[in-house]
Amino acid sequence: MSFDYFIKDGIVIDGSVSDPAEANIGIKGDRIAYVGSEVFNADKVIDARDLFVSPGFIDTHGHSEFTLLADGRAETKLLQGVTTEINGNCGLSAAPLSGEALEAREDDLGEYGIRERWHTFSEYFHLLEERRTGLNFATLCGHGNLRGSVVGYRDREATEDEIIRMEVLLRRSLKEGAKGLSTGLIYPPGMYAGTRELGRLASLLREDGHDGVYATHMRSEGDDLLGSVREALKIGREGGVKVHISHLKTAGEKNWGKIEGLIGLIGESLSAGVPLTCDRYPYVASGTGLDSLLPGWAHDGGAEETLRKLREGGAAERIRGFLKSYDDNYWRGIIIASLGREENRWMEGKSVSLISEMRGVAPVDLVMGLLIEERLRVGAVFFSMSEENLRKILCLPNAMIGSDSSVRSFSGITRHGKPHPRGVGSFPRFLGRYVRDDALLPLPEAIRRLTGLPAGTFGLYLRGLIREGYFADVAVFDYNVISDHASYQDPFSRPEGVVYLFVNGIPVVYESGLTGSLPGRILH
């Protein structure tokens, strides 16, 4: 037997519940062609003595629809050992895009210099295949896309005719390769949808042989956390579909005590046979748009209407009054991450409280002014979570790791601002800090959470395990070294510890360096 690459004497953790074992792996073409103890010839032999060999990691929560089109190198994820991303989360996906949903994405597309426009997943996939990518791309269909394309950004119930039109779009998206449906119920327009609408759409995930996932950024991750979990479980139970809770957390110190109720509710659901999983990034700060602070009614009508309300009379005073409910400690816990206007970028990496002091204005006025100046496009990091609760969530039996971030590279158009360090550090941080240093989980179980479990949950065919005949998405890492270095002030600091990484049989990391190869595929 002869192989393209032969990885010998590594400690193999295969992505299942099996114990680690020393073994050799032969790669030929895009597949794992041999796993065993014998030694064979190969064009290139990799000595993996004292290194661990596992399936490539699967990021269950990506937001790379546009950054991958702009720069397919995906360097920040590859150096973490990630070979596949699940995208289309939080109700926002690459398609379908039409009407107001397309209009709402124009600023995103313009930011990354993307001139092409598309309406369907098939059209988007064609563009992405032409560009080529460093990792594999799978996606959910965003409910925000469906509602934005049909209903727009209005605070009202969808009519029966509109629900039927959304169902048509979802059926087409599933047929074209979407792995399920995602919701973003704190963002417009998803926040305006009722449980009935969501249930109708989720029930389609079992039609025509599909086994799709209902993945949800819930209505509340704090004050109404348990009620939001119950809504998600109701949708899954009544539709007979798998439920996946995105970035599970207890947000806000006053809600940290709800962790035991949360764990109990999840345990009851699993005992009752409800297929329930979740993901989490290993940090105590979240990251999203600063405009998420605004009350729901301020988003009614779309971005231009929101900007009008921020500028004008009575609506602006109502918003100001709403924001004044946040205290000084809250503003100290918000860091501005990204801004578009060059003259404002000195604020990146600084807290709202500090910038307010430097400018001599109240935090509320600073926030409202920035949102107006930047046309709502202000990225922010929010410190609101408990380290103890994070550890408990990471230990849940069906918890996976999701970075909740887009792929970027260390140079070029996607390197800008001070984004959340989770985009560069989530996977080495989980393995280095929480698994190796703190012994939160045994290493084989941790690897299962990064590989076999997400592959099974999201229906990734012949991926997520070290098996003969499986696609050769393979990570070789130094467990003694693997660690993250990205911080809130230096979010592009590279991780270390991934020595080799293969995507579809092609090395994308070799002897700890990026190769520049783009062998990623779209996983329909």
Side-chain angles (χ1 to χ4, degrees):
M1 297 177 70
S2 181
F3 303 97
D4 300 323
Y5 296 91
F6 196 77
I7 304 169
K8 68 183 185 70
D9 299 332
I11 305 166
V12 175
I13 304 178
D14 68 3
S16 72
V17 294
S18 299
D19 291 331
E22 188 173 299
N24 303 322
I25 296 173
I27 296 173
K28 192 170 184 63
D30 62 358
R31 303 293 179 117
I32 298 171
Y34 176 78
V35 181
S37 59
E38 296 186 61
V39 177
F40 296 97
N41 293 324
D43 292 343
K44 292 188 178 180
V45 176
I46 293 171
D47 184 354
R49 185 176 285 106
D50 298 326
L51 301 177
F52 284 89
V53 184
S54 75
F57 307 150
I58 298 168
D59 188 342
T60 59
H61 196 109
H63 286 286
S64 301
E65 290 80 10
F66 304 138
T67 55
L68 269 178
L69 277 184
D71 183 347
R73 291 178 294 166
E75 292 177 345
T76 54
K77 295 290 178 75
L78 296 180
L79 280 184
Q80 296 183 66
V82 173
T83 55
T84 298
E85 270 194 335
I86 309 297
N87 286 280
N89 289 287
C90 299
L92 174 63
S93 56
L97 275 181
S98 60
E100 292 184 28
L102 178 56
E103 293 172 13
R105 301 276 74 80
E106 287 294 340
D107 286 344
D108 295 314
L109 297 169
E111 177 182 345
Y112 292 110
I114 299 169
R115 297 179 179 179
E116 298 89 347
R117 298 296 180 265
W118 61 90
H119 301 292
T120 67
F121 275 111
S122 289
E123 293 169 341
Y124 172 79
F125 291 156
H126 178 70
L127 285 173
L128 196 58
E129 285 171 340
E130 284 186 332
R131 293 283 209 282
R132 301 173 62 209
T133 63
L135 45 61
N136 300 313
F137 179 94
T139 186
L140 304 165
C141 175
H143 166 257
N145 292 63
L146 301 174
R147 200 172 218 268
S149 295
V150 173
V151 183
Y153 288 73
R154 290 162 188 80
D155 183 2
R156 64 171 177 82
E157 289 186 10
T159 66
E160 178 64 19
D161 176 68
E162 288 168 337
I163 291 176
I164 291 171
R165 288 164 60 195
M166 285 190 273
E167 289 174 333
V168 170
L169 290 176
L170 178 57
R171 284 192 178 99
R172 177 170 183 169
S173 298
L174 295 170
K175 185 176 180 180
E176 292 177 340
K179 298 290 186 181
L181 173 71
S182 80
T183 57
L185 303 182
I186 72 161
Y187 304 115
M191 62 169 57
Y192 305 133
T195 305
R196 173 178 169 273
E197 175 184 321
L198 302 176
R200 281 274 297 272
L201 294 168
S203 67
L204 303 187
L205 301 179
R206 295 299 300 274
E207 283 190 352
D208 301 325
H210 294 296
D211 186 24
V213 181
Y214 173 69
T216 180
H217 180 149
M218 299 183 296
R219 292 190 195 278
S220 172
E221 297 173 319
D223 293 352
D224 191 26
L225 172 64
L226 300 184
S228 297
V229 173
R230 292 188 182 99
E231 180 188 38
L233 294 173
K234 173 182 170 66
I235 290 168
R237 184 174 59 251
E238 294 182 355
V241 298
K242 297 182 288 189
V243 175
H244 182 84
I245 299 176
S246 298
H247 39 59
L248 184 64
K249 62 176 74 78
T250 53
E253 187 170 356
K254 65 179 179 179
N255 297 306
W256 292 353
K258 295 176 181 176
I259 186 67
E260 298 307 327
L262 174 64
I263 292 173
L265 186 55
I266 289 172
E268 291 171 13
S269 302
L270 292 172
S271 298
V274 177
L276 174 65
T277 55
C278 66
D279 63 58
R280 178 62 192 265
Y281 42 83
Y283 297 84
V284 295
S286 62
T288 189
L290 189 66
D291 63 338
S292 65
L293 291 173
L294 301 178
W297 60 264
H299 295 284
D300 184 13
E304 291 301 327
E305 182 63 15
T306 300
L307 287 167
R308 185 193 67 78
K309 291 170 184 172
L310 282 165
R311 292 187 186 103
E312 297 180 6
E317 285 307 308
R318 284 183 65 193
I319 292 172
R320 184 172 283 103
F322 177 85
L323 294 177
K324 283 182 177 178
S325 65
Y326 298 117
D327 60 21
D328 291 341
N329 189 53
Y330 186 79
W331 298 121
R332 281 191 289 271
I334 301 176
I335 294 176
I336 299 300
S338 62
L339 295 160
R341 295 165 65 94
E342 186 66 37
E343 61 267 32
N344 287 336
R345 287 182 180 164
W346 64 270
M347 302 181 206
E348 292 174 347
K350 297 180 175 63
S351 72
V352 168
S353 183
L354 176 59
I355 299 167
S356 297
E357 291 175 10
M358 294 172 71
R359 276 194 157 187
V361 298
V364 170
D365 294 324
L366 172 74
V367 167
M368 292 179 67
L370 265 185
L371 289 174
I372 292 169
E373 287 180 46
E374 298 283 342
R375 293 185 52 78
L376 307 180
R377 298 176 58 77
V378 182
V381 171
F382 299 77
F383 286 86
S384 64
M385 290 175 269
S386 155
E387 176 70 25
E388 180 182 356
N389 286 1
L390 164 62
R391 293 167 183 266
K392 290 179 178 179
I393 289 169
L394 292 176
C395 288
L396 290 172
N398 285 337
M400 311 173 210
I401 298 299
S403 70
D404 193 8
S405 65
S406 58
V407 299
R408 296 174 184 260
S409 290
F410 296 105
S411 63
I413 195 169
T414 61
R415 177 173 177 146
H416 62 85
K418 293 187 182 295
H420 197 300
R422 64 194 180 190
V424 183
S426 285
F427 290 81
R429 182 180 179 87
F430 173 63
L431 289 176
R433 176 176 178 177
Y434 290 100
V435 179
R436 180 192 62 219
D437 297 345
D438 295 348
L440 206 59
L441 295 166
L443 180 58
E445 173 60 15
I447 294 297
R448 185 186 76 88
R449 308 287 190 90
L450 305 183
T451 59
L453 178 59
T457 298
F458 292 95
L460 306 181
Y461 178 65
L462 294 181
R463 297 184 193 269
L465 297 173
I466 299 291
R467 296 279 193 277
E468 291 180 8
Y470 272 59
F471 289 97
D473 296 342
V474 179
V476 182
F477 61 94
D478 189 332
Y479 190 46
N480 293 319
V481 171
I482 197 164
S483 56
D484 67 302
H485 298 293
S487 67
Y488 296 98
Q489 296 304 318
D490 186 12
F492 286 98
S493 185
R494 300 185 183 209
E496 60 181 333
V498 174
V499 185
Y500 300 92
L501 187 69
F502 292 82
V503 175
N504 297 310
I506 303 296
V508 292
V509 176
Y510 202 87
E511 295 180 347
S512 302
L514 292 157
T515 68
S517 296
L518 302 173
R521 296 178 183 173
I522 295 168
L523 308 184
H524 296 93

